[in-house]
Amino acid sequence: MAKTLTEETLRAAAAGEPEALRKIYNVLAPSILAYLAGKGCDDPEGLTQDVFLTVFGKLDTLTGGFSGLRTFAFSVAHARMVDDARRRERQPVLAQFQPSSDIRSSASAEETVLASAAAAAELLEGLTKRQQEVLLLRVVGDQSIEETARIMGCSVGAVKQLQNRALKILKDKLERERKEESAHERIA
């Protein structure tokens, strides 16, 4: 379960106290980073920093305690993700990574993360973009159904329906894969 912050910490952060700001960052940054990485952003770390620059600049105007802060932070992250996607659509990729020129003998941290991201992306294949968005916000972002609805600009019912359909698709996909693996093991 996500860590929560006290009202005292939130007031101290709104007053600009560095330790309180650091606590907010430490609690929210991992989820924000995972959300942005899960959405395929080019520079999720940089976008996470942008999110917190915006969030920290608005702390004195936020209401709703920690829940309001989380919802606002994910709303800003969602906006940054949309901006990043639009930017990528306008700018073609000029250079591709050449694996044959990489002389490292063991997997780098980047390769490990990319393999995990690829596995997650493969798992989400077959879902609509809205279903993927709901699952990333609910699971990676640890957002409630109501918070997810606010971030996505739709009703709570729509979020529930998208989530239920996405989970059914994933369940069916995993069951098919297990049956195929079991059949291959029996043959071997």
Side-chain angles (χ1 to χ4, degrees):
M1 190 65 183
K3 301 174 195 169
T4 59
L5 299 169
T6 64
E7 288 296 323
E8 181 181 316
T9 302
L10 296 176
R11 280 192 297 276
E17 292 185 25
E19 187 59 33
L21 293 170
R22 185 175 302 113
K23 285 181 183 177
I24 289 173
Y25 181 85
N26 288 340
V27 169
L28 293 175
S31 296
I32 298 286
L33 177 63
Y35 170 73
L36 293 169
K39 293 301 292 177
C41 294
D42 280 343
D43 182 15
E45 294 88 359
L47 290 175
T48 299
Q49 298 307 315
D50 288 346
V51 167
F52 281 95
L53 288 173
T54 301
V55 169
F56 289 162
K58 300 284 186 182
L59 281 175
D60 58 342
T61 63
L62 291 177
T63 59
F66 177 66
S67 178
L69 172 64
R70 280 182 63 243
T71 300
F72 178 67
F74 273 93
S75 294
V76 173
H78 177 76
R80 295 299 179 272
M81 179 273 303
V82 169
D83 292 344
D84 183 65
R86 289 179 180 153
R87 178 194 54 78
R88 281 184 281 142
E89 286 176 2
R90 290 188 306 265
Q91 295 178 341
V93 177
L94 301 177
Q96 292 290 327
F97 172 69
Q98 299 294 326
S100 60
S101 64
D102 188 358
I103 58 172
R104 293 177 284 189
S105 60
S106 63
S108 67
E110 178 184 28
E111 288 170 335
T112 303
V113 168
L114 289 175
S116 297
E122 182 181 329
L123 183 63
L124 295 176
E125 281 180 13
L127 300 179
T128 66
K129 294 215 179 285
R130 301 277 289 169
Q131 290 169 337
Q132 291 176 7
E133 181 80 9
V134 165
L135 289 183
L136 286 169
L137 285 169
R138 295 278 291 127
V139 177
V140 176
D142 195 28
Q143 296 291 304
S144 70
I145 291 175
E146 293 79 12
E147 292 164 337
T148 301
R150 266 183 264 144
I151 291 168
M152 291 181 65
C154 61
S155 69
V156 168
V159 169
K160 288 179 180 179
Q161 188 176 41
L162 287 165
Q163 179 178 317
N164 286 339
R165 287 181 181 168
L167 292 174
K168 180 171 181 353
I169 290 168
L170 291 178
K171 178 184 172 200
D172 293 346
K173 183 178 182 178
L174 291 173
E175 286 176 354
R176 278 192 310 274
E177 289 175 1
R178 285 188 185 131
K179 285 179 184 178
E180 289 173 9
E181 287 176 7
S182 179
H184 288 300
E185 288 175 3
R186 278 188 246 134
I187 293 171

